[in-house]
Amino acid sequence: MLLLDMGAEYHCYISDITCSFPVNGKFTEDQKAIYNIVLDAQSSVMKAMKPGIDWTDMHRLAEHVILEGLLKLGLIRGSIEDLKKNHIAALFFPHGLGHLMGLDTHDVGGYPKGLERIDEPGIRNLRTRRVLQKGMVITVEPGLYFIDANIDPALKDPITSQFLNAEILERFRDFGGVRIEDDVIVTEDGIENITQCPRTVDDIEHLMATGEWKQK
């Protein structure tokens, strides 16, 4: 998998987009499974976003979808409640869900006076905890990665190790990771996604095989 985090500047305004795809143009079954977990997490968040929604809740929603996907693959085990209580999602999704964007890639205003960070793995790295307002521009960028520096200590820990399937995890040691990042505007009753990239497995494989993609 190749992960590219990039953007362009236009009249002093910034974009920030991440694409992940297989370098040979064809997803393996493992790559497809991990990619679709991240895409499902992003889609679930985008469907839930609207004015009045707390961005912290959106991060937790992404974590929930990622945990469900990892459970189905057998990479982790246990109840969703216990997995959340022990911050297992943060082992694979260690960064925040997204950030405000405008004149800077990580724009100001994420933590106005009186709004503090939550000191928990993963969610402590959120660049904003704001309640969404109409007109905000924010990135939505869940990710899922297999990082030895995170996995090895967790496998040695008597608490977190009980939630990890070491045998299946070994198969993903050299996987790398997937992040999907789009830029969205909060509208009156939802969002407008202003990123135009192929996102489904079929669209990516078609583009890489033919060089053609019809924007939707």
Side-chain angles (χ1 to χ4, degrees), residues 93-179:
F93 175 32
H95 60 77
L97 176 64
H99 52 81
L100 298 174
M101 190 181 67
L103 293 175
D104 200 355
T105 306
H106 302 141
D107 216 352
V108 298
Y111 283 87
K113 187 175 181 180
L115 191 60
E116 304 296 331
R117 290 182 184 271
I118 298 173
D119 189 20
E120 295 176 9
I123 205 165
R124 68 167 60 101
N125 296 318
L126 272 177
R127 294 183 182 272
T128 182
R129 286 188 54 214
R130 296 275 299 274
V131 171
L132 297 180
Q133 300 177 29
K134 180 182 176 182
M136 280 183 171
V137 180
I138 195 166
T139 66
V140 185
E141 49 179 303
L144 208 172
Y145 319 87
F146 297 88
I147 304 169
D148 288 345
N150 291 342
I151 293 172
D152 287 340
L155 286 172
K156 294 176 182 177
D157 185 282
I159 296 176
T160 54
S161 61
Q162 64 185 311
F163 301 106
L164 304 177
N165 188 326
E167 183 178 348
I168 298 181
L169 272 172
E170 196 63 32
R171 192 173 85 227
F172 287 80
R173 284 289 190 169
D174 297 323
F175 183 95
V178 168
R179 179 161 72 248

Side-chain angles (χ1 to χ4, degrees), residues 38-212:
V38 179
L39 187 61
D40 286 346
Q42 190 197 47
S43 299
S44 297
V45 168
M46 287 184 173
K47 288 176 183 176
M49 290 175 67
K50 61 182 179 180
I53 292 291
D54 191 318
W55 191 237
T56 307
D57 293 337
M58 295 297 92
H59 181 94
R60 295 197 190 280
L61 173 58
E63 287 187 326
H64 182 92
V65 176
I66 286 171
L67 288 173
E68 287 187 329
L70 292 175
L71 276 169
K72 288 180 182 177
L73 290 180
L75 283 159
I76 59 176
R77 54 193 166 213
S79 69
I80 287 287
E81 292 76 16
D82 286 340
L83 291 165
K84 289 179 178 179
K85 187 187 303 180
N86 289 278
H87 309 296
I88 300 303
L91 297 174
F92 305 93
F93 175 32
H95 60 77
L97 176 64
H99 52 81
L100 298 174
M101 190 181 67
L103 293 175
D104 200 355
T105 306
H106 302 141
D107 216 352
V108 298
Y111 283 87
K113 187 175 181 180
L115 191 60
E116 304 296 331
R117 290 182 184 271
I118 298 173
D119 189 20
E120 295 176 9
I123 205 165
R124 68 167 60 101
N125 296 318
L126 272 177
R127 294 183 182 272
T128 182
R129 286 188 54 214
R130 296 275 299 274
V131 171
L132 297 180
Q133 300 177 29
K134 180 182 176 182
M136 280 183 171
V137 180
I138 195 166
T139 66
V140 185
E141 49 179 303
L144 208 172
Y145 319 87
F146 297 88
I147 304 169
D148 288 345
N150 291 342
I151 293 172
D152 287 340
L155 286 172
K156 294 176 182 177
D157 185 282
I159 296 176
T160 54
S161 61
Q162 64 185 311
F163 301 106
L164 304 177
N165 188 326
E167 183 178 348
I168 298 181
L169 272 172
E170 196 63 32
R171 192 173 85 227
F172 287 80
R173 284 289 190 169
D174 297 323
F175 183 95
V178 168
R179 179 161 72 248
I180 305 172
E181 178 183 16
D182 286 346
D183 306 334
V184 307
I185 303 170
V186 181
T187 63
E188 187 172 339
D189 56 1
I191 60 163
E192 177 188 354
N193 186 354
I194 56 176
T195 302
Q196 295 297 317
C197 292
R199 287 309 191 198
T200 68
V201 167
D202 288 344
D203 281 348
I204 291 170
E205 289 185 340
H206 178 75
L207 172 65
M208 295 186 75
T210 67
E212 299 176 351

